């Protein structure tokens, strides 16, 4: 498990007019999960998708739908999203009050529970709920848009997150999201991440399916930092 790498392309950068075709291409390229960025125009400035898109994706693919909520009061979407077919439900602790209660509710309804930390959000938010999470998402950009640059200081935080999870014997996925490319994925992997979201790197590549393989290969090179 620890050596398994997961690549989760973000459909935020996909051509939504050709969604089914794009998802087939991601499957052909060996994508492990499909990352769905839900934004409410309040927690982040951008406005994107909701349950209807998750449902549409579920009809297109059997890959796990990795839903990343950048919304206020994410608990309002636990039920609608599990019904729509989400497999993983990841939210930000600043967006709600009773984080532990909502993580538990996510698990109770059969999804995996994820906690996402912005670049300036302390890792201690995760430490307090480490037994309640199946995934820890370290944001390597300030969320809201694809196509931003990887914040290099976050690499040290990924390393601390790896130590935290190992120290507690947690098998949670350690995911990184934002600015992941062939140039940056090695640093994140070397610091201990095992699950990588990529939007623009994949969809702006001349061969997006091949880019998924290239990202995976860069991980195998095992850059240690
Ligand atoms: C950023 C989103 C990301 C985004 C990643 O707010 O959470 O998932 O789609 O896009 P890239 O890989 O282009 O930074
Ligand atoms: Zn995301």
């Amino acid at each position: 498990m620890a050596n398994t790498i997961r690549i989760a392309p973000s459909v935020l950068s996909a051509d939504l007019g050709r969604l089914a075709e794009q998802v087939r291409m991601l499957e052909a390229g060996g994508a492990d999960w499909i990352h769905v960025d839900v934004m409410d125009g309040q927690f982040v400035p951008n406005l994107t998708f909701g349950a209807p898109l998750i449902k549409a994706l579920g009809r297109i693919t059997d890959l796990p739908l990795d839903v990343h909520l950048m919304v206020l009061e994410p608990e309002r979407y636990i039920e609608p999203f599990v019904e729509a077919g989400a497999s993983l439900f990841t939210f930000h602790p600043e967006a709600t009050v009773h984080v532990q209660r909502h993580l538990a509710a996510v698990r109770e309804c059969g999804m995996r529970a994820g906690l996402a930390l912005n670049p300036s959000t302390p890792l201690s938010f995760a430490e307090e709920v480490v037994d309640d999470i199946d995934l820890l998402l370290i944001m390597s950009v300030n969320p809201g848009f694809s196509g931003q640059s990887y914040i290099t200081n976050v690499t040290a935080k990924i390393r601390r997150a790896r130590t935290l999870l190992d120290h507690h014997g947690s098998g949670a996925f350690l995911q990184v999201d934002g600015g992941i490319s062939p140039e940056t994925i090695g640093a994140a992997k070397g610091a201990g991440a095992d699950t990588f979201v990529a939007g623009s790197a994949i969809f702006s590549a001349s061969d997006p399916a091949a880019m998924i393989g290239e990202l995976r290969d860069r991980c195998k090179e095992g850059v240690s930092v």
Side-chain angles (χ1 to χ4, degrees):
M1 192 67 169
N3 291 322
T4 307
I5 296 303
R6 278 157 297 273
I7 306 287
S10 165
V11 291
L12 182 60
S13 298
D15 177 353
L16 296 177
R18 298 186 298 130
L19 186 62
E21 195 185 310
Q22 300 256 284
V23 170
R24 295 275 167 265
M25 175 271 291
L26 297 174
E27 288 175 332
D32 297 283
W33 297 348
I34 302 292
H35 186 81
V36 186
D37 287 305
V38 175
M39 306 185 188
D40 67 352
Q42 295 191 73
F43 183 72
V44 291
N46 204 1
L47 188 62
T48 60
F49 322 120
L53 187 94
I54 297 169
K55 209 167 183 174
L57 285 165
R59 284 194 296 264
I60 297 169
T61 183
D62 289 331
L63 289 179
L65 302 178
D66 168 34
V67 182
H68 175 197
L69 290 92
M70 289 154 276
V71 307
L72 296 179
E73 299 180 4
E75 63 272 19
R76 295 193 291 149
Y77 302 99
I78 296 174
E79 270 192 45
F81 283 12
V82 73
E83 277 166 24
S87 297
L88 300 104
F89 184 104
T90 299
F91 62 92
H92 290 250
E94 308 91 334
T96 188
V97 179
H98 303 292
V99 172
Q100 192 279 337
R101 174 186 294 162
H102 304 321
L103 289 167
V106 169
R107 278 180 165 176
E108 267 161 36
C109 67
M111 295 185 289
R112 298 198 194 219
L115 194 71
L117 303 182
N118 282 339
S120 64
T121 302
L123 195 57
S124 54
F125 275 73
E127 183 161 23
E128 302 299 341
V129 290
V130 69
D131 293 332
D132 300 290
I133 59 176
D134 302 301
L135 179 148
L136 175 56
L137 168 52
I138 303 294
M139 291 303 302
S140 40
V141 297
N142 290 291
F145 302 94
S146 63
Q148 303 182 80
S149 299
Y150 181 91
I151 298 172
T152 51
N153 280 348
V154 167
T155 302
K157 188 179 188 181
I158 298 168
R159 197 177 303 112
R160 287 188 289 119
R162 178 77 272 154
T163 302
L164 171 72
L165 293 176
D166 291 350
H167 177 73
H168 287 273
S170 169
F173 302 109
L174 182 51
Q175 185 177 53
V176 181
D177 182 6
I180 292 296
S181 70
E183 288 70 44
T184 59
I185 196 169
K189 167 68 169 59
D194 51 43
T195 304
F196 305 90
V197 177
S200 51
I202 290 174
F203 287 97
S204 67
S206 53
D207 185 344
M211 177 53 73
I212 296 171
E214 184 173 346
L215 290 170
R216 203 184 298 280
D217 288 347
R218 291 291 176 114
C219 282
K220 285 185 196 142
E221 285 168 18
V223 178
S224 195
V225 287

